[in-house]
Amino acid sequence: MPQVASPLLSILLEARELLARPGNEFAWSKWKSAAEALAEIDRHIAIVDQGQPLEKFRLNLLFAPTGSIQEVSMSSGWSRHFMDLATRFDDVMERG
């Protein structure tokens, strides 16, 4: 498994936890519901967990400024938490 996998897995699991919060607003994201968001995150978690090649472009889009996770965070009241998570994501991806 790549060196980046364990920290990346931790970040994805944290993102999943945030996206699963009740009352999240998905209107400005690409997802219509929490179920859609969680299905996408779960797919990335499985890829990392199984040591498969990362879909780096898709992951970067999720954590990018104005990406879907940030849009949910801003309309749901956890944007500061997202900023910390995105910074950690960027650090992990740069090292990996």
Side-chain angles (χ1 to χ4, degrees):
M1 197 174 287
Q3 184 179 12
V4 74
S6 182
L8 180 57
L9 185 58
S10 176
I11 289 165
L12 290 171
L13 289 169
E14 190 172 340
R16 187 190 196 289
E17 184 178 313
L18 291 166
L19 289 166
R21 286 182 174 179
N24 276 341
E25 176 58 54
F26 291 87
W28 294 99
S29 75
K30 69 177 186 171
W31 304 302
K32 292 182 176 138
S33 66
E36 282 185 19
L38 296 176
E40 182 168 353
I41 292 293
D42 287 345
R43 189 171 52 77
H44 289 292
I45 288 170
I47 287 169
V48 172
D49 193 42
Q50 296 168 8
Q52 297 175 11
L54 300 177
E55 295 179 336
K56 290 182 181 181
F57 179 75
R58 293 183 193 275
L59 283 170
N60 285 326
L61 284 178
L62 288 179
F63 285 90
T66 71
S68 286
I69 298 174
Q70 184 178 30
E71 294 295 346
V72 174
S73 78
M74 290 174 59
S75 55
S76 303
W78 43 272
S79 59
R80 286 186 183 175
H81 197 133
F82 168 76
M83 294 305 292
D84 175 58
L85 192 63
T87 298
R88 291 181 8 235
F89 171 81
D90 290 343
D91 290 345
V92 166
M93 295 305 279
E94 285 177 16
R95 283 185 277 152

